[in-house]
């Protein structure tokens, strides 16, 4: 484990490296306990007139066994080597350096560099894992052409893969064999990959638009090939889509994906050899939910799209991470929107953004989409860099329009293919292609915090005008107290009494273009003429800007928009706002020992939505889902009491279900009739709606029996997991719940990925017993502290998905938090640091819980020898 040195890296300190490595030859002789790595690097000085500076290569925990310069042993006086640096004191202008190191994959529990997962050798190098394999200029602006030779025991590893195209393989006798791979595209070290093991394959082919034939392979555990069929289908659809929508073709003869079961995150876009967490590859109706299918489609697409946005054009330095990540998330969002329902996809994206990015932006870990400093880059693979980064690209498209956006993308590819680029390069391509000035817009990359837009409206019936007073503000964030004014594109509509958008004759006060108000100043007064009747104002349609809105509006306008807004996102938003406001008021009343008190209009609207066949089922399912407990807490902002919020939410579900019992029962029964399983969006939508209805109806008497029947009659994992959640969360002490949990365990006990759902559902079960449940489950034979998926499903679900259980008033959840994180950190600092963000919103809690949470954080902070990963998160959280 690399302990914290406290070193801070700054964007303004970027300097190009003195040396380049145009070619890299790697040779691996694999063995679990002593893998020999020989690297021969062709190195040359960047500036031939410059003085010979020492060459300093990065390492991390390396053991050097030999060094040669131009093939001759290097005299000891000419270099120095430690486990984390190799220094050649006075290198010639151009030379070849051969370094031999020995590494121990079987002991690599951090899962960075070369490690073993279920007996398979695999690698993870982004961001700085390559230096755990060999000494190198391990930075993204050093692009090199790689040749890789892999040698292994044929029985242990019949399959030998690396980046690029296969060029040679053969037998070495004594049960050993080898393969050589050559990747003609210069790439940074973080994209290096190697896999060796015994795996099954699903093979297919793809012919690109220009007729290049590509051999596709998805490698999975033997016997699981059938579960990779959906991933293969998603891959081929992604390849076609990128050609059609972005004009991007694949460029190698092969494209391989390998699924492994021990992986720190979702997947990795290594050139020609993507390595995936098997959770994002394996799916069939028996074992995966509709959400799993959708995630697989999105992650397969995301990693594939990186081939152009990330690999062909990479990042100059790690501060530019959003250059590849935000853009590639935007691309995978667009892909899923085209494959499924655009409106439903957009609502889901915004829910995710608000659940993950908003609390980050509003708490102690806030940072700009392009950060200016970091201590540990692994901690910057955040919702801000990814999701807000994607929103920023989406706003560029809104501002430029679809055609100029595409022209800008084309120019970006044309100018920077084969280079390591910056956000400035990216923005310049759009400015040059469109003639727009994006100077003010660029603040979205540089300034942290979620802007707030507040709006009031006034209608003058005699003058037939509608005036909007709009004001923007950006709250202070850590180390940025003063903020500059942003360019915020707010899409809007004025909805008339007949439910249609009113055509206004002109608008002044701000640049209003194609239904978008462009805020650039602190205050805008926008007047629309020719507006005879007072409209309901629909703002931030399609969530055109990632902001919070404070709108002074009559309650009946929200109800009206929830029924009539022509923009599906805003229609969903209107009902969501109605419910959020009702829940906040109810939780306050509950704290005062009063009845929650909901308006019958809410139940009526919910009933109307459930029955409205003009709306897609998936949309209705989303609309009928009340905001989650964390969403409500975020809106309340301070002095949070999770128990009151939970009680209010349960009361709302019951209130709506009671008022609509018959209607919901009818729809629930009707939706039960389906044909054979299909993972497509429409079928998934029907299941989602039926499961949301179950969630409501299960609050009524006989709820446990109904959920139990749902569970027992389920023919797919979506329905089974939904019923199990209702039982374990709402009716935990019933025999039905106990039986369902036991049945599930019996059926799927051997399937770790499926058991993750069983762990996650129980860890998220609300109430004071959750702490004990989680401790008990941590001793379950199917649980393992070494596997990141298990950790996320048990502890991640508890810390981030169980508001009442984790935030138990006596602080027992926080004690478990500190104990667990310190324990995990010993083997895997990266995963420990990620889980530790579970307390980032501790300052919003009510005072007693806040103090207990602080004590747990301080206990972690005062532990000696913390990793850079964990101490960075904890110190920023406490700052
Ligand atoms: N680029 C990887 C993430 C690597 C995370 C390193 N700590 C996956 C992705 O975003 O596609
Ligand atoms: Zn990515």
């Amino acid at each position: 484990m690399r302990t914290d040195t406290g070193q801070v890296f700054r964007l303004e300190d970027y300097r190009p490296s003195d040396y380049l490595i145009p070619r890299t030859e790697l040779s691996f002789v694999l063995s679990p306990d002593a893998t020999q790595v020989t690297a021969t690097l062709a190195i040359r000085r960047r500036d031939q007139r410059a003085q010979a500076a020492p060459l300093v290569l990065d390492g991390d925990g390396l053991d050097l066994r030999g060094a040669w310069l131009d093939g001759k042993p290097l005299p000891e006086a000419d270099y120095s080597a430690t486990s984390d640096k190799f220094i050649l004191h006075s290198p010639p202008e151009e030379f070849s350096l051969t370094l031999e190191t020995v590494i121990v994959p079987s002991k690599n529990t951090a899962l960075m560099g070369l490690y073993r997962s279920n007996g398979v050798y695999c690698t993870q190098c982004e961001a700085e894992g390559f230096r755990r394999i060999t000494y190198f200029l391990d930075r993204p602006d050093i692009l090199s052409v790689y040749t890789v030779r892999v040698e292994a025991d044929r029985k242990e590893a019949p399959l030998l893969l690396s980046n690029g195209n296969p060029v040679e393989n053969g037998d070495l006798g004594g049960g050993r064999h080898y393969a050589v791979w050559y990747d003609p595209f210069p790439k940074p070290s973080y994209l290096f990959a190697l896999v060796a093991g015994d795996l099954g394959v699903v093979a297919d082919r793809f012919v690109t638009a220009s007729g290049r034939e590509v051999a596709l392979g998805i490698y999975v555990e033997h016997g699981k090939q059938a579960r990779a069929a959906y991933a293969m289908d998603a891959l081929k659809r992604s390849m076609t889509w990128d050609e059609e929508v972005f004009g991007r073709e694949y460029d190698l003869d092969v494209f391989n994906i390998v699924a492994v079961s021990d992986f720190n995150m979702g997947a990795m876009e290594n050139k020609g050899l993507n390595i995936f967490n098997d959770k994002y590859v394996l799916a069939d109706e028996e074992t995966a939910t509709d959400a799993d299918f959708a995630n697989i489609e999105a992650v397969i697409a995301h990693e594939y799209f990186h081939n152009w946005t990330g690999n062909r054009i990479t990042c100059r330095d790690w501060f530019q991470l959003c250059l590849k990540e935000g853009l590639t998330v935007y691309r995978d969002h667009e892909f899923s929107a085209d494959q499924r329902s655009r409106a439903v996809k957009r609502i889901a994206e915004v829910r995710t953004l608000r659940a993950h990015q908003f609390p980050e932006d509003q708490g102690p870990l806030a940072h700009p989409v392009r950060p200016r400093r970091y201590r540990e880059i692994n901690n910057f693979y955040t919702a801000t860099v990814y999701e807000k980064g994607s929103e920023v690209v989406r706003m560029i498209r809104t501002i430029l329009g679809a055609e100029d956006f595409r022209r800008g993308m084309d120019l970006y590819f044309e100018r920077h293919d084969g280079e390591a680029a910056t956000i400035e390069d990216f923005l310049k391509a759009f400015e040059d292609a469109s003639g727009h000035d994006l100077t003010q817009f660029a603040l979205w990359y540089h300034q942290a915090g979620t802007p707030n837009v507040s709006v009031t409206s006034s209608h003058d019936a005699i003058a037939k005008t509608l005036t909007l007073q709009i004001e923007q503000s950006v709250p202070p964030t850590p180390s940025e107290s003063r903020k500059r004014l942003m360019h915020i594109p707010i899409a809007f509509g004025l909805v008339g009494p007949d439910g249609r958008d009113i055509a206004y004759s002109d608008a002044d006060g701000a640049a209003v273009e194609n239904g978008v108000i462009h805020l650039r100043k602190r205050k805008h007064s926008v007047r629309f003429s020719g507006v005879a009747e007072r409209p309901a104002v629909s703002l931030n349609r399609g969530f055109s800007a990632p902001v919070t809105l404070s709108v002074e509006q009559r309650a009946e306008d929200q109800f009206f928009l929830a029924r009539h807004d022509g923009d599906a996102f805003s229609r969903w938003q209107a009902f969501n706002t109605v419910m959020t406001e009702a829940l906040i008021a109810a939780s306050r009343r509950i704290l005062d020992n009063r009845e929650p008190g909901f308006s019958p209009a809410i139940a009526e609207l919910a009933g109307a939505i459930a029955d409205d066949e003009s709306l897609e089922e998936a949309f209705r399912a989303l609309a009928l889902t009340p905001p989650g407990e964390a969403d409500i807490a975020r809106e309340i902002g301070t002095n949070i009491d999770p128990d009151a919020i939970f009680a209010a939410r349960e009361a709302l579900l019951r209130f709506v279900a009671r008022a609509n019992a018959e209607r919901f029962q009818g729809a629930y029964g009707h939706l039960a009739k389906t044909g054979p399983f299909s993972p497509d969006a429409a079928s998934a939508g029907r299941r989602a709606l039926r499961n949301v209805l179950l969630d409501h109806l299960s609050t009524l008497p006989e709820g446990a029996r109904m959920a139990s029947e749902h569970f027992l009659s389920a023919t797919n994992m979506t329905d089974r997991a939904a019923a199990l959640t209702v039982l374990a969360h709402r009716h935990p002490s019933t025999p039905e719940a106990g039986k369902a949990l036991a049945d599930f365990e019996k059926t799927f006990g051997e399937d770790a990925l499926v058991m993750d759902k069983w762990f996650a559902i129980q860890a998220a079960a609300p109430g004071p017993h959750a702490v004990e449940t989680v401790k008990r489950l941590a001793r379950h034979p199917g649980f393992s502290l070494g596997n990141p998926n298990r950790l996320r499903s048990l502890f991640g679900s508890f810390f981030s998905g169980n508001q009442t259980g984790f935030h138990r008033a006596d602080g027992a959840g926080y004690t478990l938090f500190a104990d667990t994180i310190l324990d995990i950190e010993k083997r895997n600092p990266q995963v420990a640091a990620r889980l530790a963000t579970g307390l980032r919103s501790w300052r919003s809690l009510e005072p007693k819980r806040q103090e207990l949470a602080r004590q747990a954080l301080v206990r972690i902070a005062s532990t000696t020898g913390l990793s850079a990963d964990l101490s960075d998160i904890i110190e920023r959280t406490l700052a």
Side-chain angles (χ1 to χ4, degrees):
M1 185 172 93
R2 235 189 314 169
T3 48
D4 187 26
T5 58
Q7 191 183 353
V8 177
F9 297 89
R10 291 187 167 78
L11 171 61
E12 64 265 27
D13 292 344
Y14 173 82
R15 299 280 173 280
S17 151
D18 291 333
Y19 292 91
L20 302 173
I21 311 181
R23 282 180 324 282
T24 298
E25 281 169 34
L26 298 174
S27 163
F28 290 82
V29 180
L30 292 172
S31 125
D33 301 318
T35 287
Q36 186 189 314
V37 184
T38 312
T40 298
L41 314 177
I43 303 183
R44 78 179 154 76
R45 210 178 296 157
R46 173 190 300 274
D47 179 354
Q48 312 213 326
R49 290 154 308 177
Q51 285 280 324
L55 168 75
V56 184
L57 301 180
D58 307 296
D60 181 0
L62 292 176
D63 177 4
L64 183 70
R65 295 294 170 88
W68 296 262
L69 195 126
D70 291 329
K72 295 187 202 77
L74 196 59
E76 265 180 41
D78 291 2
Y79 70 98
S80 53
T82 61
S83 68
D84 60 1
K85 261 187 183 49
F86 176 92
I87 304 175
L88 186 59
H89 301 305
S90 34
E93 217 172 88
E94 196 161 346
F95 58 102
S96 109
L97 179 67
T98 301
L99 298 174
E100 191 189 306
T101 48
V102 171
I103 52 180
V104 188
S106 64
K107 293 238 167 72
N108 184 346
T109 60
L111 314 183
M112 285 293 282
L114 176 69
Y115 65 94
R116 302 250 289 173
S117 172
N118 265 346
V120 176
Y121 295 91
C122 61
T123 53
Q124 171 56 35
C125 293
E126 188 177 359
E128 296 177 337
F130 191 71
R131 62 185 69 181
R132 290 164 63 92
I133 296 174
T134 188
Y135 295 101
F136 204 73
L137 291 173
D138 192 13
R139 43 188 283 171
D141 61 347
I142 293 294
L143 306 184
S144 191
V145 171
Y146 285 66
T147 307
V148 180
R149 181 184 183 280
V150 190
E151 175 186 328
D153 198 85
R154 192 188 281 278
K155 251 194 32 234
E156 184 186 48
L159 174 72
L160 305 173
L161 302 176
S162 190
N163 314 90
N165 296 320
V167 288
E168 192 188 323
N169 62 70
D171 197 81
L172 295 165
R176 307 283 294 173
H177 72 145
Y178 76 98
V180 179
W181 291 78
Y182 173 73
D183 181 0
F185 293 92
K187 66 168 174 291
S189 51
Y190 81 85
L191 289 175
F192 165 77
L194 175 160
V195 172
D198 188 4
L199 292 166
V201 66
V202 177
D204 210 322
R205 61 194 276 276
F206 183 85
V207 180
T208 69
S210 66
R212 166 193 279 280
E213 165 126 9
V214 184
L216 308 177
I218 300 188
Y219 293 87
V220 296
E221 226 174 83
H222 283 295
K224 296 207 168 144
Q225 284 92 329
R227 282 200 220 176
Y230 184 77
M232 181 58 91
D233 180 55
L235 173 61
K236 289 190 286 183
R237 285 186 281 124
S238 306
M239 296 178 86
T240 304
W241 186 90
D242 213 14
E243 292 181 348
E244 288 173 356
V245 178
F246 280 91
R248 298 294 118 198
E249 262 188 50
Y250 189 62
D251 49 14
L252 289 164
D253 304 339
V254 299
F255 185 77
N256 287 320
I257 291 176
V258 178
V260 300
S261 45
D262 301 84
F263 208 62
N264 282 348
M265 64 272 166
M268 179 64 212
E269 70 264 24
N270 318 297
K271 181 82 187 187
L273 176 55
N274 288 186
I275 299 181
F276 269 62
N277 184 330
D278 56 2
K279 176 181 164 62
Y280 295 111
V281 174
L282 301 173
D284 62 18
E285 63 193 272
E286 274 305 307
T287 55
T289 61
D290 291 324
D292 293 325
F293 279 102
N295 286 337
I296 288 170
E297 181 178 77
V299 180
I300 291 271
H302 180 97
E303 306 310 332
Y304 174 72
F305 296 156
H306 267 315
N307 190 53
W308 275 95
T309 49
N311 302 2
R312 290 284 288 255
I313 305 181
T314 192
C315 302
R316 187 193 71 173
D317 52 66
W318 290 120
F319 297 100
Q320 319 295 330
L321 184 56
C322 63
L323 177 73
K324 74 179 179 79
E325 296 305 348
L327 175 57
T328 306
V329 171
Y330 170 75
R331 278 152 52 70
D332 86 55
H333 282 176
E334 282 297 296
F335 168 72
S336 294
D338 283 346
Q339 305 286 307
R340 294 169 173 253
S341 151
R342 185 161 280 273
V344 168
K345 173 68 182 149
R346 188 65 188 138
I347 295 166
E349 283 160 20
V350 175
R351 279 176 29 140
T352 308
L353 184 83
R354 288 185 176 143
H356 301 287
Q357 201 275 328
F358 276 24
E360 184 166 88
D361 228 359
Q362 295 162 10
L365 302 179
H367 54 272
V369 172
R370 186 178 70 182
R372 278 180 297 278
R373 54 210 57 217
Y374 62 76
R375 272 164 63 190
E376 177 49 64
I377 187 58
N378 283 328
N379 290 336
F380 283 82
Y381 288 77
T382 59
T384 297
V385 168
Y386 277 66
E387 316 299 330
K388 188 175 179 181
S390 161
E391 294 301 320
V392 176
V393 177
R394 179 175 299 277
M395 286 189 285
I396 297 179
R397 205 202 43 185
T398 302
I399 291 168
L400 266 58
E403 276 179 25
D404 276 354
F405 178 77
R406 173 65 197 267
R407 263 196 282 279
M409 284 300 302
D410 288 350
L411 186 59
Y412 171 67
F413 289 125
E414 191 186 308
R415 276 187 186 164
H416 300 291
D417 185 13
E419 289 180 9
T422 62
I423 285 300
E424 282 74 15
D425 295 329
F426 181 63
L427 288 172
K428 186 84 172 50
F430 289 109
E431 289 189 322
D432 292 352
S434 72
H436 273 77
D437 176 356
L438 296 174
T439 315
Q440 187 184 13
F441 180 81
L443 282 176
W444 281 102
Y445 282 106
H446 308 322
Q447 198 162 264
T450 310
N452 180 263
V453 173
S454 70
V455 185
T456 59
S457 64
S458 56
H459 180 247
D460 183 336
I462 297 165
K464 296 187 182 158
T465 55
L466 177 86
T467 308
L468 300 180
Q469 304 288 352
I470 312 177
E471 184 167 351
Q472 63 161 298
S473 63
V474 188
T477 50
S479 73
E480 283 179 12
S481 48
R482 283 173 60 88
K483 303 283 186 176
R484 284 149 68 195
L485 295 166
M486 318 265 289
H487 175 184
I488 305 176
I490 301 285
F492 74 103
L494 308 179
V495 187
D498 62 354
R500 294 193 190 177
D501 277 17
I502 294 178
Y504 46 87
S505 58
D506 82 69
D508 62 29
V512 178
E513 258 176 41
N514 305 324
V516 178
I517 304 173
H518 292 270
L519 307 180
R520 293 171 181 275
K521 300 182 291 181
R522 182 172 311 284
K523 290 186 183 179
H524 289 269
S525 171
V526 189
R527 197 167 69 224
F528 299 93
S529 335
V531 184
E533 282 181 89
R534 194 184 72 85
V537 186
S538 166
L539 288 162
N540 211 17
R541 281 186 160 175
F543 203 67
S544 59
V547 299
T548 52
L549 271 184
S550 321
V551 188
E552 219 174 79
Q553 200 163 32
R554 302 186 194 171
E556 71 245 35
D557 282 354
Q558 289 294 354
F559 279 97
F560 181 80
L561 291 172
R563 285 184 195 260
H564 299 294
D565 201 316
D567 179 82
F569 170 80
S570 293
R571 192 165 168 186
W572 168 83
Q573 179 64 67
F575 190 40
N576 196 266
T577 304
V578 165
M579 288 193 286
T580 305
E581 283 168 6
L583 285 162
I584 293 173
S587 73
R588 297 215 165 102
R589 281 191 284 268
I590 288 169
L591 280 173
D592 293 343
N593 289 318
R594 288 157 58 204
E595 287 298 309
F598 297 109
S599 146
I602 294 186
E604 206 180 293
L605 185 49
I609 291 171
D611 273 356
D612 187 343
E613 298 205 339
S614 71
L615 300 168
E616 293 171 274
E617 279 96 349
F619 176 91
R620 286 186 262 162
L622 286 170
L624 291 175
T625 307
E629 294 153 65
D631 299 313
I632 305 162
R634 199 180 53 249
E635 291 297 325
I636 296 175
T638 51
N639 203 17
I640 301 300
D641 182 324
D643 295 325
I645 293 175
F646 175 76
R649 192 175 183 279
E650 285 294 294
L652 177 64
L653 282 166
R654 204 175 312 115
F655 176 78
V656 170
R658 256 194 215 136
N660 292 291
E662 241 171 70
R663 232 173 174 168
F664 281 11
Q665 281 287 0
Y668 176 84
H670 180 69
L671 288 161
K673 298 177 201 92
T674 53
F677 180 88
S678 160
D680 70 85
S683 313
R686 279 192 293 280
R687 285 187 284 274
L689 180 55
R690 185 161 173 266
N691 288 328
V692 167
L693 294 171
L694 170 70
D695 194 25
H696 283 80
L697 291 166
S698 68
T699 60
L700 302 180
E702 296 296 299
R705 192 190 45 76
M706 184 183 179
S708 169
E709 272 167 24
H710 194 103
F711 180 82
L712 293 170
S713 62
T715 55
N716 58 71
M717 184 51 78
T718 303
D719 291 339
R720 201 173 286 126
L724 190 64
T725 305
V726 166
L727 286 166
H729 289 199
R730 189 161 291 127
H731 304 286
S733 43
T734 59
E736 285 92 343
K739 188 172 170 319
L741 283 168
D743 272 12
F744 193 102
E745 184 185 7
K746 193 159 161 246
T747 314
F748 299 106
E750 300 304 309
D751 193 322
L753 276 183
V754 184
M755 283 300 280
D756 281 344
K757 301 183 195 306
W758 187 83
F759 285 117
I761 289 170
Q762 294 181 79
H769 305 301
V771 176
E772 282 71 34
T773 305
V774 171
K775 285 186 187 164
R776 175 170 52 77
L777 291 172
R779 295 190 300 268
H780 188 278
F783 185 77
S784 147
L785 266 186
N787 179 288
N789 285 354
R790 296 308 88 74
L791 294 173
R792 283 184 285 258
S793 72
L794 184 62
F795 294 112
S797 307
F798 180 59
F799 301 152
S800 303
N802 193 337
Q803 298 295 309
T804 53
F806 177 46
H807 299 286
R808 194 166 96 179
D810 66 358
Y814 309 145
T815 306
L816 179 61
F817 174 87
D819 292 344
T820 307
I821 291 201
L822 287 170
D823 202 18
I824 297 171
E825 194 220 18
K826 291 180 209 139
R827 11 171 132 229
N828 192 327
Q830 212 179 107
V831 171
R834 178 53 69 109
L835 288 173
T837 62
L839 263 187
R840 66 182 166 200
S841 300
W842 65 282
R843 280 201 179 84
S844 333
L845 295 162
E846 52 81 21
K848 287 193 185 124
R849 285 178 170 90
Q850 207 179 118
E851 174 53 22
L852 294 164
R854 195 189 63 82
Q855 287 169 13
L857 288 164
V858 168
R859 174 151 72 89
I860 300 178
S862 48
T863 306
T864 47
L866 283 193
S867 62
D869 305 65
L870 186 56
S871 67
D872 170 44
I873 292 288
I874 299 291
E875 281 174 28
R876 280 192 285 141
T877 302
L878 279 168

